[in-house]
Amino acid sequence: MVLTALRLITGFIDACSVLKCRPPNIRNYSTSSETIKAVSSYIRDKCESIVVMAGAGLSTPSGIPDFRSPGTGLYHNLQKYNLPYPEAIFDIQYFVNNPMPFITLAQELYPGQKYRPNLAHYFVRLLHEKGKLLRMYTQNIDGLERLSGIPGDKLIEAHGTFHSASCIVCGDEHDPEIVKQTILSGKVHLCHCKGYVKPDIVFFGEQLPAKFWLHNLDTADTDLLIVLGTSLEVQPFASICDAVPRNTPRLLINRELVGSFGYRDFDNMLVGDIIESIRNLAKDIGWEEELSKLYETCEKRST
Ligand code: OAD
C-alpha cells in the first residue's frame, strides 16, 4: 500500500519533470519530436510496468486490413456478404441465423496462413525482454502477438482467439484443428447438441474472457499506457484507457487522435504510420539496433 503510494507519487514527479504539464479539460497533447524525447527517456530510465493496448492498426503493416479505415477497412468491404450492417458479421445473434458470412470471412482470417508479425509487435516483445512489460491487451484475433514471442502470461487476447473453439449452445470445447478444417472447407462445424461451433473469438453480444478483467489491477500498477493502432470505439476494451490514474502518462501511436486522448495532462501522441513512429521511438530510446536484430533474427527463422 505504502509502496504503491510512493510509486504513484514518484511516478507523478517523474512524469511531471519529463512530460509537459497542461491545463485540464483542454484537448491538447504533446506530439512528435517533443513527445519522442520525453517518452523515450521515461521508458528507458523509469518504466517498469508498461501496459500496452492494441488494435487492428498494429497489424495493417503485416498486410491485414483494419476495420474502420475509410476505403481499406474490413467494414467498408463487406458488400458481397449482403449484411444488414457491417458489424453483423461478428454478431452472435446474426451468426445463429446466418453463419455463412462469418465462415467465408474466417477462411481468410485464420492465423498462421500467410501473415507475419511486424516491427511494432517486436517492439512490444522487446519491452517484455527488458522487463518493462506488465501486460499487453489486444483486440486482434490474428495471433501475431503470440507469433512474435510475447509470452502467454503477458498477453490478454480480449476479443478471443482462433486457438480454441466451442459450441455456441452448450459451450462444449471442440478440437480447434478439426473446426478449422471444417471452416476452411466452407462448412459450419456442428456440435453433438446440433449447435454451431465457432472459434472462440468474441462476437458482439458475447462475454469477454475472464482474464480481461485483470486490467482492473494492471491499470492501478502501470507507469505508462501505450495505445497502438486502435480507434478505441469498442467497449469495454476502450475503457482500459480511461481506467489508468490521471497522473499516469499515456502514449497514443496512431494515424489520428482517438478516444479520450488529449483530455489529460500527461497525454502524448505520435501521429502517423505506426512503423515509422516505433522506429523513431526505438531510436531515441537507444534500442534501434537491438529491435532490428530481434525482428530480423525471428522473422528469418520463421519464414
Ligand atoms: P479500427 O479499424 O476501428 O481502428 C484501427 C485504428 O488504427 C484506426 O484509428 C486507424 O487509423 C489506425 N491505423 C491503421 N493502420 C495504421 C498504421 N499503419 N499506423 C498507424 N495507425 C493505423 O480497429 P480496432 O480499433 O482494432 O471487434 O477495432 C476494434 C474492434 O472493432 C475489433 O476488435 C473488432 C471490431 O468490431 C470484434 O470483432 C469483436
Side-chain angles (χ1 to χ4, degrees):
M1 184 73 183
V2 175
L3 196 64
T4 307
L6 264 175
R7 281 186 56 203
L8 278 177
I9 293 163
T10 44
F12 180 72
I13 293 167
D14 287 340
C16 259
S17 59
V18 292
L19 305 174
K20 214 171 120 197
C21 286
R22 283 173 296 281
N25 302 323
I26 293 176
R27 197 151 191 176
N28 202 350
Y29 44 87
S30 168
T31 59
S32 325
S33 58
E34 181 193 351
T35 302
I36 296 187
K37 286 207 166 18
V39 175
S40 58
S41 55
Y42 185 58
I43 292 175
R44 186 183 51 239
D45 303 333
K46 307 282 182 198
C47 286
E48 292 174 347
S49 49
I50 299 172
V51 167
V52 175
M53 290 172 72
L58 171 62
S59 295
T60 57
S62 298
I64 304 173
D66 66 10
F67 293 91
R68 295 177 179 81
S69 282
T72 55
L74 184 66
Y75 289 155
H76 294 263
N77 293 291
L78 294 175
Q79 293 84 353
K80 62 180 166 182
Y81 299 111
N82 225 357
L83 299 162
Y85 54 96
E87 284 88 348
I89 202 148
F90 294 118
D91 187 304
I92 196 66
Q93 200 54 53
Y94 186 82
F95 178 81
V96 169
N97 295 316
N98 183 10
M100 287 322 288
F102 170 74
I103 295 298
T104 312
L105 181 68
Q107 294 176 343
E108 282 174 48
L109 293 182
Y110 257 104
Q113 313 269 76
K114 53 181 175 184
Y115 301 112
R116 296 297 313 167
N118 60 56
L119 198 77
H121 292 98
Y122 282 101
F123 179 77
V124 183
R125 172 162 162 194
L126 194 56
L127 288 177
H128 161 64
E129 289 185 0
K130 298 279 181 187
K132 291 176 184 288
L133 181 69
L134 175 59
R135 211 84 60 197
M136 177 182 201
Y137 290 82
T138 184
Q139 298 165 100
N140 298 343
I141 51 174
D142 52 38
L144 296 188
E145 297 87 357
R146 285 178 192 233
L147 280 179
S148 74
I150 297 163
D153 62 331
K154 294 281 169 181
L155 186 63
I156 309 280
E157 293 167 313
H159 288 175
T161 166
F162 278 96
H163 286 89
S164 58
S166 53
C167 170
I168 63 166
V169 176
C170 70
D172 271 9
E173 288 177 18
H174 287 251
D175 183 334
E177 195 47 43
I178 295 175
V179 175
K180 177 177 171 180
Q181 292 314 322
T182 314
I183 290 178
L184 291 182
S185 70
K187 298 190 197 108
V188 196
H189 197 81
L190 284 183
C191 183
H192 53 82
C193 78
K194 302 279 183 260
Y196 292 151
V197 176
K198 72 164 185 57
D200 290 335
I201 61 172
V202 178
F203 278 29
F204 293 110
E206 288 190 302
Q207 296 284 336
L208 269 58
K211 269 168 80 180
F212 171 75
W213 302 103
L214 192 62
H215 77 266
N216 288 317
L217 299 177
D218 288 347
T219 49
D221 281 345
T222 186
D223 45 25
L224 175 67
L225 176 77
I226 302 181
V227 176
L228 298 173
T230 170
S231 60
L232 290 176
E233 288 214 3
V234 173
Q235 296 291 357
F237 187 87
S239 67
I240 298 175
C241 193
D242 300 312
V244 298
R246 292 194 74 84
N247 57 10
T248 301
R250 306 189 300 179
L251 171 66
L252 173 68
I253 301 180
N254 205 46
R255 277 205 187 115
E256 72 278 337
L257 182 63
V258 291
S260 63
F261 268 88
Y263 285 115
R264 291 187 177 192
D265 284 356
F266 304 114
D267 281 351
N268 301 274
M269 177 169 165
L270 295 175
V271 196
D273 180 66
I274 189 168
I275 298 298
E276 206 187 321
S277 298
I278 289 290
R279 224 186 273 285
N280 289 336
L281 188 60
K283 191 173 170 189
D284 257 45
I285 300 174
W287 294 350
E288 190 186 24
E289 216 172 292
E290 213 171 332
L291 178 61
S292 298
K293 209 164 170 187
L294 178 66
Y295 174 61
E296 278 156 24
T297 313
C298 293
E299 284 309 300
K300 210 176 276 168
R301 201 190 308 144
S302 50
T303 47

